């Protein structure tokens, strides 16, 4: 009797436990061999990460006590993807999926995911039809005379336009049938951008500007679920890459427009801001761009729903970047020179000054010094007496600086040490990444902040220091 009671209690507890699960995914598979099932979430950066891992079985159950947040997921058998999963509502979910070794997938009780599968299949058909047209033209280029090729091209383009029209009609239909779902937002974002004007293809800068300006025309900023999708990150990567082909001022403007559109919710805004900050606001990376980052920070500080901690962090960064801007006079500080005399930066008399902050043993500083040494324009400007190069060591290892003077210092430059540690103690310059150079006029006003080694010749010519 006690044994029967124990078994009954166990069954009741098991039933209660299953009922307590707010997310249950039943996976019925045939012909698949694997060690484990991986339920994965996109990390909003570049990869899918495991959220739940269970041993593989033909009747596997993925479950979680808490609500599975709305978003974009995928399910793997070891390293092979079984299917993708869209969750549009933050509510209790009990889903059943059947799949096999031929990648056939059936959702038994999720209309959205069933519709997503049908949409993907039809999209592949349209893509295949367009690829076949492209192949037909490519093959014809090998054998067909030019006058016939032109006629064929026009015919194929008309067919391609018709396929695109049918595709657009189909997308609109599926969106209308799935209102308010993540699927509808994903489809909306998948619409192709209108082709840029033909002459843009002759100018890479204009073409990249067009794609950057219109990259998020169809993005559903009001749908925070979209930031869980890899397509949002892929488009951000393209956006950032395209900005490299335009002037920083225009890149900053387009970034400001994008962030303003993202102010639909703090979650969406921080996704875009943090991603762009990592790209353009990380000092020392190839994408680092002070003008774009400054514009981003100003946008963030104007966003009323920014958290206080993020606002304070942005304010600190903004204050740093706004120091020593072009047209301002940089602060003076005391210097110990290589001949052991002590003066200050303002005592350096020169029509122009290239101020070079460095650490003698910094590998990048060493590389830049080497390239500066063989820059003919720079050497001519120094020889003319109109330009002085001033290197400044701003840390506290005097022995290191003395070795640099004895072994590495260029005799054509002035070499100084911030021996009173004023630069760091007074936070006079933003020197988180070195080397850092300023081009100054005779009054120590900034002509170019953070001038790069490969920009120096252009500025020397601009100010007519060399012919």
């Amino acid at each position: 009797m006690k044994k029967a009671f124990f078994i009954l209690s166990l069954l009741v507890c098991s039933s209660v436990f299953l009922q307590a699960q707010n997310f249950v995914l039943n996976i019925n598979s045939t012909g698949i061999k694997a060690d484990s099932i991986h339920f994965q979430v996109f990390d909003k950066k570049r990869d899918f990460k495991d959220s739940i891992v269970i041993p593989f079985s033909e009747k596997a159950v993925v479950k979680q006590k808490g609500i599975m947040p709305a978003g974009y997921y995928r399910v793997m058998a070891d390293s092979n993807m079984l299917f993708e999963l869209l969750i549009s509502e933050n509510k209790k979910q009990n889903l059943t999926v059947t799949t096999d070794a031929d990648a056939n997938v059936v959702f038994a009780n999720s209309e959205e995911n069933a519709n997503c599968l049908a949409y993907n299949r039809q999209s592949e058909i349209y893509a295949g039809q367009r690829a076949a047209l492209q192949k037909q033209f490519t093959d014809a280029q090998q054998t067909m005379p030019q006058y016939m090729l032109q006629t064929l091209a026009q015919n194929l383009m008309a067919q391609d336009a018709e396929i695109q029209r049918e595709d657009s009609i189909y997308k609109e239909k599926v969106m209308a049938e799935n209102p308010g779902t993540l699927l509808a937002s994903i489809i909306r974002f998948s619409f192709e951008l209108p082709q840029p004007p033909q002459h843009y293809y002759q100018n890479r800068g204009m073409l990249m500007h067009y794609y950057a300006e219109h990259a998020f025309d169809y993005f559903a900023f009001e749908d925070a679920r979209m930031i869980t999708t890899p397509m949002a990150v892929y488009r951000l990567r393209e956006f950032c890459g395209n900005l490299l082909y335009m002037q920083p001022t225009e890149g900053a403007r387009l970034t400001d427009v994008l962030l303003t559109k993202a102010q639909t919710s703090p979650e969406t805004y921080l996704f875009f801001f943090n991603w762009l900050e990592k790209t353009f606001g990380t000092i020392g990376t190839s994408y680092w761009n002070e003008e774009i980052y400054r514009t981003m920070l100003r946008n963030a500080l104007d966003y009323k729903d920014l958290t206080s901690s993020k606002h304070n962090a942005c304010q600190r960064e903004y204050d740093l970047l706004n120091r020593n801007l072009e047209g301002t006079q940089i602060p003076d500080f005391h210097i110990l020179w290589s001949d052991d005399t002590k003066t200050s930066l303002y005592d350096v008399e020169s029509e122009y000054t290239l101020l070079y902050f460095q650490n003698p043993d910094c590998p990048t500083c060493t590389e830049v010094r080497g390239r500066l040494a063989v820059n003919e324009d720079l050497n001519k400007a120094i020889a003319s007496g109109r330009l002085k190069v001033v290197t400044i060591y701003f840390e506290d290892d005097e022995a290191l600086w003395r070795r640099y003077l004895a072994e590495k210092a260029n005799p054509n430059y002035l070499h100084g040490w911030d021996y009173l540690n004023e630069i760091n103690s007074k936070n006079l310059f933003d020197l988180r990444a070195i080397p850092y150079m300023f081009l100054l006029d005779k009054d120590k006003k900034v002509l170019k902040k953070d001038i790069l080694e490969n920009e120096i010749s252009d500025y020397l010519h601009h100010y007519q220091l060399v012919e």
Side-chain angles (χ1 to χ4, degrees):
M1 185 66 183
K2 289 183 178 180
K3 183 177 181 181
F5 179 77
F6 173 78
I7 294 174
L8 180 60
S9 299
L10 184 61
L11 290 173
V12 170
C13 289
S14 299
S15 175
V16 170
F17 178 76
L18 288 173
Q19 290 176 7
Q21 307 304 308
N22 283 299
F23 176 76
V24 178
L25 175 62
N26 302 285
I27 305 172
N28 301 320
S29 60
T30 56
I32 297 174
K33 294 184 179 180
D35 292 324
S36 55
I37 296 287
H38 299 255
F39 186 87
Q40 297 185 328
V41 58
F42 191 64
D43 65 4
K44 301 181 185 178
K45 298 174 183 177
R46 62 176 63 247
D47 297 314
F48 281 86
K49 302 294 186 183
D50 287 342
S51 176
I52 302 172
V53 180
I54 62 171
F56 177 83
S57 70
E58 290 191 346
K59 292 187 179 298
V61 181
V62 178
K63 53 193 176 184
Q64 175 176 283
K65 287 185 178 181
I67 296 291
M68 189 66 68
Y72 184 104
Y73 301 89
R74 73 180 188 184
V75 178
M76 311 286 291
D78 292 341
S79 59
N80 299 313
M81 189 173 74
L82 294 179
F83 53 87
E84 294 170 318
L85 180 69
L86 305 182
I87 298 179
S88 283
E89 297 180 88
N90 293 321
K91 67 176 187 179
K92 186 173 182 177
Q93 303 277 348
N94 193 322
L95 308 173
T96 299
V97 184
T98 301
T99 186
D100 60 27
D102 295 324
N104 295 307
V105 179
V106 176
F107 283 88
N109 51 357
S110 175
E111 183 179 0
E112 178 182 8
N113 283 286
N115 291 340
C116 183
L117 287 174
Y119 166 77
N120 288 337
R121 284 193 292 266
Q122 184 59 50
S123 295
E124 289 174 2
I125 292 173
Y126 287 133
Q129 291 173 345
R130 298 185 67 186
L133 295 178
Q134 180 61 49
K135 185 177 186 304
Q136 185 179 346
F137 181 73
T138 302
D139 292 344
Q141 285 180 304
Q142 308 302 317
T143 58
M144 190 173 289
Q146 188 63 37
Y147 74 94
M148 295 178 63
L149 195 63
Q150 183 65 30
T151 302
L152 176 65
Q154 292 175 348
N155 180 268
L156 294 177
M157 288 173 62
Q159 293 182 54
D160 186 73
E162 178 59 23
I163 294 172
Q164 289 188 63
R165 188 186 71 84
E166 292 179 6
D167 188 16
S168 295
I169 293 173
Y170 175 70
K171 286 177 177 177
E172 294 283 1
K173 175 178 176 292
V174 178
M175 289 170 59
E177 293 172 347
N178 295 269
T181 63
L182 176 55
L183 174 60
S185 294
I186 289 174
I187 294 174
R188 172 178 156 186
F189 193 38
S190 72
F191 273 85
E192 290 188 27
L193 294 175
Q195 291 297 311
Q198 195 63 35
H199 67 278
Y200 279 33
Y201 290 96
Q202 310 303 317
N203 186 311
R204 187 172 179 82
M206 292 176 66
L207 190 62
M208 297 301 101
H209 184 283
Y210 177 87
Y211 288 132
E213 185 172 24
H214 298 285
F216 289 90
D217 282 359
Y218 299 130
F219 188 81
F221 287 98
E222 71 282 359
D223 187 352
R225 297 168 300 189
M226 281 297 294
I227 67 176
T228 70
T229 65
M231 56 277 294
V233 168
Y234 298 157
R235 190 64 59 84
L236 266 172
R237 288 179 189 166
E238 294 174 4
F239 174 83
C240 293
N242 289 336
L243 259 56
L244 296 180
Y245 289 90
M246 60 191 72
Q247 292 297 320
T249 301
E250 184 60 12
R253 185 188 72 81
L254 294 180
T255 303
D256 186 57
V257 170
L258 176 60
L259 286 175
T260 301
K261 289 180 178 179
Q263 292 180 1
T264 53
S265 71
E267 185 181 11
T268 298
Y269 186 83
L270 286 175
F271 166 75
F272 278 90
F273 183 90
N274 291 341
W275 213 97
L276 291 167
E277 182 178 45
K278 185 176 180 181
T279 304
F280 295 116
T282 302
I283 294 176
T285 65
S286 58
Y287 276 75
W288 158 254
N289 188 298
E290 186 171 305
E291 188 162 358
I292 291 177
Y293 189 38
R294 185 185 297 112
T295 299
M296 289 174 52
L297 293 168
R298 188 165 58 245
N299 185 287
L301 293 173
D302 289 339
Y303 179 42
K304 61 181 178 61
D305 291 331
L306 201 67
T307 63
S308 59
S309 60
K310 187 66 175 180
H311 184 280
N312 293 338
C314 289
Q315 188 67 64
R316 287 193 298 271
E317 289 286 323
Y318 190 67
D319 291 343
L320 276 174
L321 292 184
N322 276 314
R323 292 178 184 175
N324 310 306
L325 297 180
E326 293 174 17
T328 64
Q329 188 175 39
I330 65 171
D332 196 14
F333 55 91
H334 292 85
I335 300 174
L336 174 66
W337 298 105
S338 56
D339 63 0
D340 287 329
T341 59
K342 296 178 179 178
T343 58
S344 73
L345 180 65
Y346 284 10
D347 290 323
V348 176
E349 296 183 359
S350 179
E351 186 178 354
Y352 294 93
T353 302
L354 182 65
L355 183 61
Y356 180 80
F357 292 100
Q358 65 155 351
N359 180 300
D361 281 354
C362 157
T364 306
C365 299
T366 301
E367 291 176 12
V368 172
R369 285 201 310 269
R371 291 195 290 269
L372 292 180
V374 296
N375 185 315
E376 293 184 5
D377 291 327
L378 181 61
N379 288 330
K380 288 178 182 178
I382 295 171
S384 73
R386 299 180 63 194
L387 173 77
K388 290 182 180 179
V389 176
V390 177
T391 75
I392 297 295
Y393 173 60
F394 56 94
E395 297 174 82
D396 58 6
D397 189 344
E398 182 177 358
L400 172 64
W401 183 62
R402 295 291 181 184
R403 285 197 302 274
Y404 162 75
L405 296 178
E407 301 171 3
K408 303 177 182 179
N410 189 319
N412 294 322
Y413 305 164
L414 298 177
H415 302 280
W417 174 36
D418 171 32
Y419 68 104
L420 296 180
N421 194 34
E422 292 177 295
I423 291 173
N424 286 326
S425 63
K426 297 180 181 179
N427 211 7
L428 300 181
F429 300 92
D430 180 11
L431 299 178
R432 290 172 292 178
I434 53 173
Y436 205 103
M437 292 185 284
F438 290 86
L439 181 62
L440 311 174
D441 68 7
K442 62 182 177 64
D443 297 318
K444 303 302 181 288
K445 287 185 177 180
V446 179
L447 300 175
K448 179 65 171 77
K449 177 183 178 181
D450 192 20
I451 186 171
L452 303 178
E453 174 270 327
N454 58 7
E455 298 175 317
I456 289 175
S457 288
D458 290 338
Y459 278 88
L460 295 180
H461 284 279
H462 175 76
Y463 289 107
Q464 300 180 338
L465 288 167
V466 291
E467 296 180 357

